[in-house]
Amino acid sequence: MRILLKVNFDTATANAKARKGTLGQTIASILADIKPECAYFGADHGKRTGFIVVNIDDMHQIPAVCEPFFLALGADIDLVPVMTPDDLEKAGPGIKRAAKKYGK
């Protein structure tokens, strides 16, 4: 299952790592461990933020993906299941059934 992680880094923690010159190295190390499908970085609500897509096979893998960000960067994380266009196409019959039953 693809999960979008929106990872807001704690400003004080990220600033301290930036001053020490280890912020990039810390993020690179976490990404090497979690092996994301893709990762983008920017700002969200005034905080350094990562938008990271990971594939997980089972829910028990969520802590292994999130804990490094919590521990190393004091992060706040939102998890959102996401689909590719192919996934959405496969969901079509279920969407049609729901629309027929509940879309009145």
Side-chain angles (χ1 to χ4, degrees):
M1 172 188 313
R2 280 184 184 83
I3 304 289
L4 170 66
L5 305 174
K6 185 174 82 169
V7 183
N8 292 105
F9 308 145
D10 175 71
T11 301
T13 304
N15 284 349
K17 289 189 180 294
R19 286 185 190 103
K20 288 183 2 185
T22 61
L23 180 59
Q25 176 185 355
T26 300
I27 293 169
S29 177
I30 295 170
L31 294 178
D33 288 343
I34 68 171
K35 297 172 182 53
E37 183 175 306
C38 63
Y40 298 93
F41 298 89
D44 180 59
H45 298 290
K47 290 189 172 189
R48 291 176 184 96
T49 303
F51 302 91
I52 302 164
V53 176
V54 295
N55 274 305
I56 63 169
D57 298 319
D58 196 284
M59 292 298 141
H60 79 274
Q61 295 172 287
I62 291 174
V65 170
C66 295
E67 287 299 329
F69 291 109
F70 292 144
L71 295 167
L73 295 163
D76 293 324
I77 299 177
D78 290 323
L79 303 168
V80 180
V82 294
M83 293 184 280
T84 65
D86 288 341
D87 296 331
L88 186 57
E89 188 175 328
K90 290 175 189 173
I95 294 169
K96 283 183 182 180
R97 279 192 301 277
K100 191 172 187 174
K101 184 171 183 178
Y102 298 104
K104 298 176 184 176

